[in-house]
């Protein structure tokens, strides 16, 4: 297949491009490099079936020739990024999704939207099932991300119903691994780098809030399976193994052998108290579930930040 990946130079996008090339697909990677980086795709550059276009997906996208699949992964995804870039975040989820769907329509291509567990907001149901409509503050600091992804889901569904586009929606839960940026702000790269530098590990709130962390290779496998499925309603993809943030901090201190101490900081506004995917739908319909245990995934990620920087 000839596959367009928007946000292809980002954390998930670059792992996805690499995976697709391994399956012998041709990949067109589109990225404006606001949060993505050419380093992430440097190892792919000399492959004949990989093409990079530096472009902002919110502007008209012109792709020469056939396209079989559009994978829309462009967006800031770390809370500190999207809080610093609220308008770009809203634009890429709104206008960017419109342009990406426009390419799919013009090329008669299939479409997959990278949506997020943030559509559930600060959930009142745990674990989160796809049928849950969520608890989102429409004007809070996270609303630029949450609401643009909710809009993106609505737009994808409208293109499916109204134009018959063959769409899919992946609701991606917290994912980690190599190629996250050192100062990305998300909890795993932050804690690992604080531990490696011997700095205080900054736990927000009382550290009792939970997240469920999926290693990147598992997530990409789930995305690929969803690409091949005929499911137009959202599918949760993530690891259901739920931890508190305080537990995560201890695990990272232990695995790095760090002497860092934990320090408590105020909890950011609207920070979800619980997050855990119900992945029954993906288990049954995609025959998928994550395989990499947190400890194994953390070890690989720690190696990456220690300087190995492979992957
Ligand atoms: N967090 C923390 N210390 C940090 C960064 C994050 O305690 O230095 C917490 C944050 O408040 C949240 C959780 O870790 O409860 C996960 O945050 P992240 O930014 O990774 O993503 P989120 O799941 O909130 O989108």
């Amino acid at each position: 297949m000839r596959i367009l990946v928007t946000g292809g130079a980002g954390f998930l996008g670059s792992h996805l491009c690499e995976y697709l090339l391994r399956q012998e697909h041709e990949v067109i990677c589109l990225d404006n490099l606001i949060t993505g980086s050419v380093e992430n795709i440097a190892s792919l550059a000399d492959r004949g079936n990989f093409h990079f276009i530096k472009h902002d997906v919110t502007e008209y996208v012109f792709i020469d020739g056939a396209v079989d699949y559009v994978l829309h992964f462009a967006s800031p995804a770390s809370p500190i990024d999207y809080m610093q870039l609220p308008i770009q975040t809203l634009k890429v989820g709104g206008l960017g999704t419109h342009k990406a769907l426009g390419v799919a329509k013009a090329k008669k291509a299939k479409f997959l939207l990278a949506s997020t567990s943030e559509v559930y907001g600060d959930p009142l149901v745990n674990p989160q099932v796809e049928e849950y409509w969520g608890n989102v503050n429409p004007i809070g600091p996270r609303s630029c991300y949450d609401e643009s992804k909710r809009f993106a889901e609505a737009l994808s569904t409208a293109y499916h119903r109204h134009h018959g586009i063959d769409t899919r929606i992946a609701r991606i839960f917290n994912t980690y691994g190599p190629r996250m940026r050192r100062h990305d702000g998300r909890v795993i790269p932050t804690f690992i780098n604080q531990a490696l530098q011997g700095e205080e590990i900054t736990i927000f709130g009382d550290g009792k809030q939970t997240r469920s962390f999926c290693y990147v290779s598992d997530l990409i496998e789930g995305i690929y399976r969803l690409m091949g499925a005929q499911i137009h309603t959202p599918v949760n993809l993530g690891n259901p193994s739920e931890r508190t943030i305080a537990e995560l901090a201890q695990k990272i201190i232990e695995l790095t052998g760090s002497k860092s101490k934990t320090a408590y900081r105020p909890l950011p506004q609207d920070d979800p108290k619980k997050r855990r995917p119900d992945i029954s739908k993906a288990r049954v319909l995609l025959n998928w579930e994550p395989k990499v245990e947190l400890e194994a995934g953390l070890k690989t990620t720690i190696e990456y930040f220690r300087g190995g920087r492979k992957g």
Side-chain angles (χ1 to χ4, degrees):
M1 289 194 288
R2 198 158 182 258
I3 302 174
L4 173 67
V5 182
T6 77
F11 164 51
L12 290 183
S14 65
H15 282 282
L16 186 56
C17 289
E18 200 177 349
Y19 185 99
L20 296 170
L21 290 169
R22 273 207 300 276
Q23 311 298 317
E24 314 223 319
H25 298 297
E26 183 175 348
V27 175
I28 306 160
C29 164
L30 193 103
D31 205 299
N32 65 357
L33 303 176
I34 287 192
T35 55
S37 99
V38 282
E39 274 168 44
N40 288 342
I41 50 168
S43 66
L44 311 178
D46 56 358
R47 312 243 186 126
N49 49 354
F50 180 76
H51 317 276
F52 173 62
I53 305 172
K54 184 172 181 295
H55 183 75
D56 182 339
V57 68
T58 66
E59 306 285 344
Y60 186 83
V61 177
F62 177 77
I63 307 288
D64 214 4
V67 174
D68 301 298
Y69 226 119
V70 177
L71 304 173
H72 184 40
F73 275 69
S75 179
S78 156
I80 59 162
D81 284 337
Y82 58 71
M83 288 180 208
Q84 271 165 19
L85 303 166
I87 311 222
Q88 282 100 322
T89 302
L90 281 154
K91 282 177 74 180
V92 74
L95 306 178
T97 304
H98 184 228
K99 296 290 176 292
L101 281 161
V103 174
K105 180 163 167 269
K107 303 286 185 181
K108 300 188 170 48
K110 295 178 181 177
F111 180 87
L112 185 145
L113 171 69
S115 185
T116 169
S117 53
E118 281 283 331
V119 301
Y120 301 120
D122 187 3
L124 305 175
V125 167
N126 196 47
Q128 291 83 56
V129 283
E130 288 89 348
E131 291 72 27
Y132 178 51
W133 291 353
N135 177 38
V136 172
N137 176 353
I139 54 160
R142 290 177 175 250
S143 67
C144 55
Y145 187 61
D146 302 10
E147 295 292 16
S148 69
K149 289 291 191 183
R150 288 168 69 99
F151 177 83
E153 289 197 4
L155 195 61
S156 303
T157 305
Y159 265 66
H160 171 64
R161 290 194 185 128
H162 196 72
H163 291 310
I165 307 295
D166 194 352
T167 57
R168 286 141 192 78
I169 299 171
R171 288 193 180 148
I172 301 171
F173 284 65
N174 294 67
T175 303
Y176 70 101
R179 297 199 195 134
M180 293 184 99
R181 286 166 301 142
R182 206 174 278 276
H183 299 293
D184 163 295
R186 279 178 284 193
V187 68
I188 288 186
T190 304
F191 284 2
I192 290 178
N193 286 296
Q194 289 169 334
L196 294 178
Q197 305 299 314
E199 294 166 3
E200 287 180 332
I201 311 277
T202 53
I203 296 178
F204 297 164
D206 58 9
K208 291 194 180 122
Q209 71 273 33
T210 67
R211 294 294 185 274
S212 309
F213 297 101
C214 187
Y215 190 66
V216 62
S217 58
D218 281 334
L219 194 276
I220 299 298
E221 178 64 35
I223 296 288
Y224 195 65
R225 289 193 190 202
L226 182 56
M227 283 174 68
Q230 280 292 325
I231 310 169
H232 308 296
T233 51
V235 179
N236 288 340
L237 293 177
N239 192 319
S241 167
E242 185 179 10
R243 322 274 165 147
T244 67
I245 294 305
E247 265 176 76
L248 176 74
Q250 286 313 321
K251 184 64 65 209
I252 289 176
I253 290 172
E254 178 195 315
L255 293 176
T256 51
S258 173
K259 295 199 169 53
S260 291
K261 299 271 176 281
T262 52
Y264 287 81
R265 302 270 183 274
L267 188 70
Q269 190 196 328
D270 295 345
D271 196 289
K273 287 178 272 307
K274 300 234 171 275
R275 186 179 290 148
R276 177 185 179 196
D278 181 318
I279 58 163
S280 311
K281 191 169 176 181
R283 276 199 174 107
V284 172
L285 298 178
L286 307 179
N287 192 25
W288 172 86
E289 65 182 0
K291 295 193 178 69
V292 181
E293 298 288 341
L294 182 65
E295 189 159 318
L298 284 177
K299 281 184 182 162
T300 312
T301 312
I302 291 166
E303 269 324 295
Y304 171 78
F305 283 117
R306 272 214 164 102
R309 296 224 159 216
K310 279 192 222 78

